[in-house]
Amino acid sequence: MLTTGPAPAAARGLADVVRNYAVAHGFDLGATSEHPEAASAALAEDVAVGIAGRSLLAKKSPPPPVKSPSPKPSPKPASPKPSPSPKPSPSPSPAAASSIDIAPTSTANSTATDDGPGPADGNPNTPGDGKVGLPSVPDNDPDNYGQWILKTIGNVVAVHLLQVPGTEKFFFMERPSGRHPDGSTSIAGYYDYQTNKFKNIDYTDSVFCAGHTVTQDGHVLVVGGHIAKSGFGDGLKGVRVFSRKTLTFHRIANMTFPRWYPTATLLPSGMVTIMGGTVLPGAGTGKNPIYEIWDPANPTQLTQRPQSPAMVARTNDIYYPNTYVLPTGHLFMFCNRYGEIMDPMAAKVITAMPNWMTVAKGVFTEYPFTGTSAMLALTPENNYTPEVVYFGGQFSYGWINTTASRLALRLKVEWDEAAGNYTFGEGWVAEKMPLARVMGDAIVLPNGKVIVLNGAVKGLAGDNAAGGAAKANEPALWPVLYDPEAPLGSRMSVLARSNIPRMYHSTVSITTDGSLLVAGCDRCDKYWWTSANISKSPTSFAEYRVEVFRPPMWFNVTAKPNIVSIDEDTWDDEDGVNVMQYGAPFALTYSMFYESDKVTRAVLVAPSSTTHSTNMNQRVVGLQILEHDVATRRLILSGPPNINIAPPGWYMLFLLNGDVYGQSEWVRLPGDAPRLDAFLETFDMKGKTKSHRL
C-alpha cells in the first residue's frame, strides 16, 4: 500500500537526505532564500537563510547606482483606483538601466563563461526604476489587432491549464482559493469550450504547483504538487491521471522524491521524464539532483536517473525547467541561464549550450524571475531544424518595482550528423520586445507565429513577502505577435489589449479553432497600474473569468480552409480518431470560400499543457504535401518523417492558406506504448467509494 507522501517535518528530513546525497556525489546546491508560499513552519526556518542569501546576492549582483530620482508612477485615470500596494521608489531612468544591462547581439556568447547559479530570489533593497511607456493600439479593429472575448466564469482558477486530447475540454487545477463562484471547495475541474460550461471534479490531494503533460494514448498525466494544505492531502510525490474517456482523476502511484515545480515531458517512447522541483515548497528546501521516468508499461513504478552535476550546480532550484524533444531524440533542457542537450534514458549530457551572458547580462528566467519560452515550428521548409526563443524574464537584482527584461533571445540548434555533434550558429541572438514582461506565456500558432501574452511589466513571480499580495506591478495587458520569418528587428507587433490582468499563475492554451483560451491569475489584487480601464477580479485575489483571444488572421474567415473529409481507411474505432502513419500518405478533402484560394501548408499542433509560464507539451510540426488537386480540393499529405520530429500521440491537424488557418481535426500518431484504459478502469471502480489516494 503506497502512502500519500511525508508530512512536512518528514519531508524536511528527506530534504536533508537529498542534500547529503548531492554533496556526496559532488553536486553544489547553491545559495538558498525564503519562499513566501511555504508552510508556516518551513517559512520560519527559511527566514534566517533568506536574509543571508540576500546579503550574498547584494555582493554578487548589486542594483544599478541611483543617478537621479524619477517620479513615482501614479494611477490614472482617477477611477478605478488601484488597491494599496508597494509603491516604486526613485531610481535611474529605464533608458539608463537598459544601456547598462543589455548588451548588443554578439557571437561571443558561444564561448562566454558564467558558472554561478545566481540568486534564488530578488533583492528587496532594489529601488524601483520609474515609469515605463505602455503601448496604445485600437481595441475595435480585430482584422489588424485581434479581439478579446469574455467566455465564462469558471469554478476553478486555471493555475494549471491542459487541453484534453480528442475533445473540446480543458482541465483546470488550482491551489485552494476559498472564493469559488459556485461555493464549492473543488481544486480541479474541466471547461467545455463547445458548450461553454464548467464541471467540478472531486479530488483530495494538493495538485498545486505540479508538472503535467499528456500520455501517448491521450490521457493527462499530473506529477508532484504541494504539501498538505486547506484540507487537501500531501501531493508532493503524487502521480495522477485524468482520463480523457471517463473524465475521472486518480492518483495511481508515488514518485521516490517529492517535487514542487517539476516539468513532465512526453518522450517518443511514450515514457515521461519528471525533472526538477524542490522537495518542499520554497527555494532552498532541497533541489532534486535525481529525475524520474514514468513508464506506461509499468505505471506504478518509476525509475531514477541522476541529473547532471552542471545542471544542479548552475541553476537555483531547477524550477520548471524548459524541455523540448529534439529531432535527434535528445532532450533540450534549459533552466534560468544554463542549458544542455542530453540523452534522457542514459542520463548522458551530449553538450552544454552557449549562455547568453554577452547579449543578456543579468537576465534570469527561472522562478521567480520567470521568463517563457517556445520551440518554433519544425517544418520541411526549415529541414525540421529546431530553434528556441526565450521571451522576457527579470534581472538578477530585480524586485517588486523593477522593470522586467524586454529581450527575446533566440537560439538555433543544429545537429552535424557526420561530426556527431551540435552547433549553435551565432549563439543567442537578442532583440527587444515592444514591452518588458515577466511571467509571460508564449503560444505557437498553427502558422508558426508566436503570441506572447500575460504577465507583468514590473516585479517578480510569487506572493509578496508581506503576505498575499502580488510581487509584480503594472499588468502586461498587450499581447505581442512574434514573426520568426521576419528580419531581425522587425519581428514583433503589439495586438489588442485585454482589460483583465493575468499576472501570477495565469495560463493559455491553443483551441481546436486556433483561438487562444486565456485564464488564471490567483494573485490579482494589491498591485498598482498606470493604464486605463483595468477590470480587477470581482473576487479579489482569485480570477475565475475565462477569456478567448483571437489573433488578426483568425478573422479572415473567407480565406479559411476547412477539412471536409478524411480517408476512411485511417479511422480507428477504438479511439474514434483518424490515425496518421509516419511517412505514409494521408488523404483528405477540404473546402474554401473562394475558388481561387487553396491550401498552402498543413501542420500538426500538440495539445497545450501550461502552468507557471511553461508549456510542457507545445509542438508544431509541418507536413509535406505529396499531391494536391486544387480543382477537387483533394490533398494528400505525408505523415511526419519519424517519431523524434513528432512524438507519437494526439495532435490537431490544421490546414493553412498563407497565414490563415481553419478549424482543425484531431488525429493520432501511432506509438508502441501500452494503453492505460484497462489499468484506469480499476481506479474508476475504487473511485465509486471516493478513494482517490494511494
Side-chain angles (χ1 to χ4, degrees), residues 332 353-354 386-389 409-413 424 427-429:
F332 175 109
M353 294 179 215
E387 293 189 73
V388 174
V389 187
L409 299 161
R410 180 166 166 176
L411 182 71
K412 178 181 285 190
V413 180
F424 300 96
W428 291 100
V429 177

Side-chain angles (χ1 to χ4, degrees), residues 155-162 170-176 180 186-191 198 201 203 205-213 220-225 240-242 249 320 505 507 520-522 609-612:
N155 294 338
V156 170
V157 183
V159 175
H160 304 264
L161 177 63
L162 301 96
F170 294 84
F171 188 51
F172 286 42
M173 297 182 293
E174 66 162 42
R175 68 166 137 194
H180 297 84
S186 296
I187 58 170
Y190 61 85
Y191 166 67
F198 196 95
I201 294 173
Y203 194 69
D205 71 56
S206 186
V207 292
F208 174 51
C209 296
H212 35 72
T213 187
V220 171
L221 183 74
V222 180
V223 295
R240 317 160 188 86
V241 173
F242 175 71
F249 191 33
Y320 287 128
H505 291 151
T507 46
C521 188
D522 71 349
S609 175
T610 308
T611 190
H612 294 77

Side-chain angles (χ1 to χ4, degrees), residues 48-99:
V49 296
I51 295 170
R54 284 180 178 147
S55 298
L56 180 61
L57 168 62
K59 295 175 183 177
K60 284 188 176 180
S61 305
V66 177
K67 295 182 180 178
S68 60
S70 56
K72 299 178 182 179
S74 57
K76 60 179 183 179
S79 177
K81 294 182 180 179
S83 305
S85 62
K87 293 293 183 181
S89 307
S91 65
S93 67
S98 176
S99 66

Side-chain angles (χ1 to χ4, degrees), residues 37-49:
E37 288 179 354
S40 58
L43 182 59
E45 294 177 3
D46 285 344
V47 169
V49 296

